[in-house]
Amino acid sequence: RRTPRASQTHSNRYEMSAFTVATSAIGVTAKVTSKIAAKKTAAAPLSARAAVSGVSAKAFAARSHAKVASKAAAARVATVFAADKPDRSNADAPDAGKGQKIMILGGDGYCGWATALHLSNRGYEVAIVDNMCRRTFDDQLGFNSLTPIKGIHERVRVWEEVSGKRIQLYVGDICDYEFLSAAFQAFEPTACVHFGEQRSAPYSMMDRSRAVFTQTNNVMGTINVCYAIKEFAPECHLIKLGTMGEYGTPNIDIEEGYITIEHNGRTDTLPYPKQGNSFYHLSKCHDSANMLMCTKTWKMRTTDLNQGVVYGVATPETTMDDRLVNRLDYDAVFGTALNRFAIQAAVGHPMTVYGKGGQTRGFLNITDTCKCIQIACDNPAPPGEMKIYNQFTEQFSVNELAALITEAGQKLGLDPQVINVPNPRTEMEEHYYNAKHSKLQDLGLEPNLMKESILESLLTTVVKYKDNVDQRLILPAVNWTESASVGKTIAKV
């Protein structure tokens, strides 16, 4: 990989990767290695905004509604699968992916690692591309994964030792086009799965430098990927991970990517309106627009997966050896709602519901993320067409999630409690939400719904590692309205 010289002038700074530029702006030296050795930093105290404001009776009252919602979802799935479905009976065969070469950008991350192992175990030839910046974020902010994850080089070696299957590894930044083009030419992928972006809305709202990094890294990286496909792998299918957050919370049903509109006597089918509510979500909106233009202009094959909130940690592959364990984030910047609630319940910390708790989102288990990616790989878009799928299996409010964790935790002898904390985000806390999500099920996805056994399994894993929890990282410390131009570091105090 080409490293920019320190003597480069500001006018030449565009040649540096977005990761290098942005981390330099906040006083961090970016260096990609197999093991991160930087010391964890600390600064300003946690925000007093997150002080406890009382127990949420509404969250406990939501238990019965959560059960009803879960049963209704199961009934809908049963109805869907009564229809004709593609035959995916061999999807788990050891040679299911024979002949396909899948490049996974961001393969060291939460979703990327699980997906890499899932595909490799089913005969797909897999390569991981990653610069390990997610690990660097932890070092910057003093965070840690609940689970003791190994370095990427050891992970890949252990996987070959356990499974007998090899995953190729390319360590570098996709914002460095020289590196990315070399990786494409070396591996020659038939599909490229793009997880390789800064994925946290709170991180993007911490301060100006991280907002700029998020947009530059995510948007520029995706443009580089599109050019690499055009130049070096024109038949490669680009599978990009977007987010359901691109849609916002409109007061109408959310369609899967496109909506047909009648206006002044004329009709057209257009991309569904986007209303991103953070610099992270807006970067995904820009990605989708850029991909659609490239798809039409260069006749690319693209699939945009608008993914819901992912929960869980264990997949069949990550449980084959303790050294393959996936990361599990519980802090208020990178931890997703359900995972955070499970960890809070396990360590005896009240589950922190932001605001009224009526915020409703789509959710899916980490195992279903892997299955959806496999389905997308097996069903490439035709040249010049961008398929868009809403990738989630159920939708719940935050209060309903807390109620489900409460019930599952009590069966394990835990005593989960709920508190409401002031909402650090600028968002509606009670709203209409009905998002369509049938296309992946039409292609054969059989969802793992949020039943008690899955929640109990998650809680059991969390209890195993609960001594690793730093409770100083649990309360929210990033406020949307207070995002400032001065770089911010969250302290553990």
Side-chain angles (χ1 to χ4, degrees), residues 48-71:
R49 295 185 310 273
V52 173
S53 63
V55 176
S56 170
K58 184 174 182 180
F60 289 101
R63 296 182 195 177
S64 59
H65 182 65
K67 275 192 170 180
V68 171
S70 183
K71 289 180 179 179

Side-chain angles (χ1 to χ4, degrees), residues 302-452:
T302 57
T303 297
D304 199 6
L305 298 174
N306 292 321
Q307 183 167 250
V309 182
V310 184
Y311 66 91
V313 62
T315 65
E317 289 72 34
T318 61
T319 56
M320 290 169 66
D321 190 291
D322 285 345
R323 294 170 293 174
L324 298 175
V325 69
N326 205 351
R327 71 177 303 121
L328 187 59
D329 299 304
Y330 62 91
D331 58 84
V333 174
F334 288 100
T336 58
L338 187 66
N339 286 347
R340 285 194 301 109
F341 284 176
I343 292 167
Q344 290 168 359
V347 300
H349 190 290
M351 291 179 280
T352 50
V353 171
Y354 293 172
K356 297 178 181 178
Q359 303 94 314
T360 301
R361 302 291 186 268
F363 291 82
L364 76 162
N365 188 276
I366 184 69
T367 58
D368 284 344
T369 289
C370 300
K371 291 178 181 179
C372 290
I373 297 299
Q374 183 182 3
I375 288 172
C377 290
D378 293 344
N379 294 274
E385 179 181 330
M386 184 167 86
K387 295 182 177 181
I388 302 178
Y389 303 141
N390 291 342
Q391 184 172 301
F392 71 96
T393 57
E394 301 171 272
Q395 61 183 46
F396 296 100
S397 71
V398 175
N399 284 327
E400 289 169 343
L401 289 181
L404 289 168
I405 289 291
T406 296
E407 292 185 8
Q410 288 172 343
K411 292 184 177 181
L412 295 177
L414 303 174
D415 183 26
Q417 301 295 317
V418 178
I419 57 172
N420 293 93
V421 298
N423 193 345
R425 304 188 179 208
T426 303
E427 63 183 359
M428 289 189 289
E429 296 176 3
E430 294 178 322
H431 55 84
Y432 176 81
Y433 196 81
N434 184 37
K436 307 293 180 62
H437 57 107
S438 62
K439 291 183 180 179
L440 284 163
Q441 293 181 15
D442 290 343
L443 292 173
L445 172 65
E446 297 185 21
N448 291 301
L449 299 179
M450 198 183 294
K451 49 185 178 287
E452 289 180 352

Side-chain angles (χ1 to χ4, degrees), residues 117-131:
L117 299 191
H118 176 92
L119 295 178
S120 177
N121 204 34
R122 288 156 180 79
Y124 298 79
E125 186 176 346
V126 174
I128 286 175
V129 176
D130 208 303
N131 68 347

